[in-house]
Amino acid sequence: MYRMAWVVAALCVAPILAATLAALGGDLATWRDVLWSVLPRYTATTLALVAIVGSGAAVIGTSAAWLVTVYRFPGVRWLEIALALPLAFPAYVLAYAYTSLLDHPGPVQTLLRDVTGWGPRDYWFPEIRSLGGAALMLTMVLYPYVYLLARASFRQQSSNAFLVARTLGRSPLAAFWSVALPMARPAIVGGTLLAIMETIADFGTVAFFNVQTFATGIYQAWFGLGDRAAAAQLSLCLLTFALLLAGLERAQRGGARRASRGGARFEVLTQPRLTGWRGWGATAICLTPVLMGFLIPVIMLGMMAWGSGQSLLAPRYVNLMSNSVSLAAIASVLTVIGAILIGFRARTHPGRTSRGLVIGAGLGYAVPGGVIAVGLMVPLAGLDNVIDRFMEGNFGIDTGLLITGSIWLMVLAYMARFMAAALNAYDSGMATVPSHFDAIARSLGQGPVKLLWRVHLPVARTSVLTALLIVFVDVMKELPATLILHPFNFDTLAVQAYRLAADERLREAAVPSLALVAFGLIPVLLLCRTIGRESTAS
């Protein structure tokens, strides 16, 4: 069992190492071309996107979390749950909905021309297919990372600290800036870094809006130019940036834990009721991201799907859903089993080696899917060719794409990409199991297998189910790795939505997009149920 944990961790680290070795082993001429031709443009665009999305997610998530935690105003109980719903949307699906709404032939500009009588060149309208448009889409689906962490931090803060600041003459806003915000800084920064890592990993949104980032550059170098060396070298650049962010996020996570222990909540903070324009203003502030990130896109996609003439019950879409669900089910089960093996090894053998094992296995969450796909394709495509030549030369058998033409390569990529999500969910459940339970089970003659099966898994079954759901939906939404690795004649809902949208068939793309959102609602509603229980208990 313990050896299997090492095998799983090695499989998760292998694509990252392979991408690094492929980049370092590339031709120096290719390095020079990448350095002087595309690297400055990709760097500037990616940094601009990161700055806009990071600041937008931090402002929206923090302000909404503070309002629903501290004040009572119209609709607050509904809004504290609804603010998490945009997590169900892949950013590229949001891009399809808003393009149909705001583009030149869309209903907004059409109504504007009908009302004013203007012609197509008589007015200026913001261009949705731009860097700003991509940043808006990503901000709307990623601010819940900050919102959820900041809300948890505000609820755990000592009420006395805020009350002391108020008794010293500070206004509520001044007390927020001087006391509450500094105490919640680790959680806010941690959520912002998570949003930034998702931003640099995004491919579907920036590709649809024709925004040139590292993610689109890797895909274009691989498929457009057929230059695997350039794709690997761009992957290494993006990998370096992603791992730097991962280190910052881990440091902030530790800071958040320390901050949460800093003060006890000796008194319950009375929530003042906001009335009049203040109450409705708070409602408007919290309702706006829900409208833009969930309600409007769902309505638009529903209208587009209704007029597309397609049905999810058609044989083609049944096959797409079957492919997506079966692939996500296999990947989620194997990933969670791997997380259980690694987590069990780390619990029963604590120390630096186990910590290194967990960190190594979880590196993939900071690595974009395109980087992992390149790291797998470069060595395994070469291995496929070696096997094919050997079998053809010695036995006259054409093996073709034995490895890279199967879904198991995709499963391995998903395992490497989402192992951290499964590990975090499983560890959260195991944190509730006292360590002396292990000693009691061992004293009763229970070996490692029985200890895991009879003690750990029954206690952590809710966390295991949560891990399965999270990885399942993440695999359903994953686009760049799926585009690069999926075998011929094996399409998924995400691939179908991307291809239809790339061909400007947005109405038809709405059908698989709605299916993706429906699957994405499962873990979000589970999370909202937990939030509702917390509110009732408090």
Side-chain angles (χ1 to χ4, degrees):
M1 180 183 294
Y2 297 137
R3 291 179 180 177
M4 287 300 299
W6 283 102
V7 172
V8 172
L11 290 175
C12 293
V13 175
I16 302 173
L17 294 178
T20 303
L21 293 175
L24 295 176
D27 188 4
L28 290 178
T30 306
W31 266 113
R32 286 193 293 268
D33 291 341
V34 169
L35 181 63
W36 296 110
S37 59
V38 298
L39 189 59
R41 180 171 74 252
Y42 290 159
T43 302
T45 307
T46 302
L47 290 177
L49 194 64
V50 161
I52 298 172
V53 175
S55 57
V59 171
I60 295 173
T62 304
S63 57
W66 177 251
L67 287 173
V68 300
T69 303
V70 176
Y71 296 105
R72 298 173 62 193
F73 51 88
V76 63
R77 293 306 175 202
W78 176 81
L79 286 170
E80 68 177 352
I81 297 175
L83 280 163
L85 293 181
L87 272 179
F89 265 92
Y92 55 86
V93 170
L94 204 71
Y96 305 157
Y98 273 100
T99 298
S100 178
L101 178 66
L102 300 177
D103 217 2
H104 185 271
V108 172
Q109 291 201 52
T110 299
L111 178 63
L112 179 64
R113 291 193 296 271
D114 291 342
V115 170
T116 61
W118 290 338
R121 300 180 181 275
D122 295 336
Y123 65 96
W124 175 86
F125 196 85
E127 177 58 56
I128 186 65
R129 298 178 188 246
S130 61
L131 175 65
L136 178 62
M137 301 300 104
L138 289 165
T139 301
M140 286 298 102
V141 300
L142 296 178
Y143 81 82
Y145 283 117
V146 182
Y147 165 73
L148 292 171
L149 291 177
R151 181 177 179 274
S153 179
F154 288 141
R155 291 176 65 88
Q156 293 170 1
Q157 287 180 10
S158 170
S159 303
N160 290 336
F162 187 80
L163 292 174
V164 168
R166 295 287 287 122
T167 58
L168 293 176
R170 297 292 183 93
S171 66
L173 183 60
F176 166 74
W177 280 105
S178 60
V179 177
L181 189 62
M183 293 174 65
R185 183 191 62 82
I188 295 170
V189 175
T192 303
L193 287 173
L194 287 174
I196 289 174
M197 283 189 286
E198 290 293 329
T199 298
I200 66 173
D202 177 79
F203 170 77
T205 310
V206 292
F208 182 66
F209 284 167
N210 197 28
V211 178
Q212 300 296 309
T213 64
F214 278 108
T216 59
I218 293 169
Y219 188 81
Q220 290 169 0
W222 187 276
F223 286 101
L225 303 176
D227 192 341
R228 295 184 177 183
Q233 289 159 1
L234 288 172
S235 298
L236 180 60
C237 296
L238 186 56
L239 174 62
T240 303
F241 187 37
L243 292 181
L244 175 62
L245 291 174
L248 291 174
E249 190 275 335
R250 183 168 291 275
Q252 289 297 326
R253 195 192 312 169
R257 284 195 294 265
R258 290 189 297 270
S260 66
R261 298 188 185 106
R265 188 172 179 175
F266 299 108
E267 294 186 19
V268 177
L269 182 63
T270 303
Q271 290 181 300
R273 176 177 293 276
L274 299 178
T275 58
W277 67 270
R278 291 184 176 86
W280 290 109
T283 301
I285 291 174
C286 294
L287 183 61
T288 299
V290 177
L291 284 173
M292 296 182 64
F294 186 79
L295 293 178
I296 292 176
V298 166
I299 294 172
M300 281 302 304
L301 289 173
M303 294 172 60
M304 292 160 62
W306 184 264
S308 67
Q310 297 189 74
S311 171
L312 282 174
L313 300 179
R316 174 169 176 75
Y317 278 104
V318 171
N319 183 56
L320 289 173
M321 293 176 67
S322 175
N323 290 345
S324 299
V325 171
S326 59
L327 185 64
I330 294 171
S332 59
V333 170
L334 293 179
T335 302
V336 172
I337 290 175
I340 291 172
L341 292 173
I342 294 173
F344 182 74
R345 203 271 181 198
R347 179 182 174 92
T348 56
H349 292 76
R352 292 184 178 179
T353 301
S354 294
R355 286 197 298 270
L357 189 70
V358 172
I359 293 173
L363 280 178
Y365 87 107
V367 181
V371 175
I372 292 177
V374 170
L376 289 172
M377 282 293 288
V378 170
L380 294 181
L383 180 60
D384 260 344
N385 292 330
V386 171
I387 295 174
D388 184 59
R389 285 195 299 267
F390 175 80
M391 297 297 292
E392 182 73 27
N394 292 276
F395 304 102
I397 300 175
D398 183 11
T399 59
L401 300 176
L402 189 64
I403 302 174
T404 56
S406 68
I407 68 168
W408 297 107
L409 191 64
M410 303 170 67
V411 172
L412 179 57
Y414 299 141
M415 182 184 294
R417 178 79 172 88
F418 302 119
M419 180 59 70
L423 274 172
N424 289 338
Y426 179 71
D427 286 346
S428 66
M430 290 308 303
T432 63
V433 183
S435 58
H436 65 266
F437 278 22
D438 297 4
I440 294 173
R442 290 292 182 87
S443 67
L444 294 175
Q446 303 294 316
V449 176
K450 291 183 178 180
L451 172 64
L452 175 63
W453 186 255
R454 294 184 176 181
V455 179
H456 288 184
L457 291 183
V459 175
R461 60 182 180 272
T462 302
S463 297
V464 171
L465 177 61
T466 302
L468 282 168
L469 289 172
I470 291 173
V471 177
F472 181 89
V473 175
D474 281 340
V475 172
M476 292 284 293
K477 297 192 295 184
E478 173 63 26
L479 183 59
T482 309
L483 279 174
I484 294 175
L485 297 177
H486 75 96
F488 297 111
N489 298 322
F490 189 89
D491 291 336
T492 65
L493 289 170
V495 172
Q496 177 72 359
Y498 172 76
R499 285 178 174 172
L500 291 172
D503 293 338
E504 298 299 328
R505 298 160 64 183
L506 292 181
R507 286 186 176 273
E508 297 175 33
V511 178
S513 298
L514 273 177
L516 286 172
V517 174
F519 283 111
L521 277 174
I522 297 172
V524 174
L525 291 177
L526 191 64
L527 180 62
C528 292
R529 183 182 179 186
T530 303
I531 294 176
R533 286 177 177 176
E534 288 179 358
S535 300
T536 303
S538 64

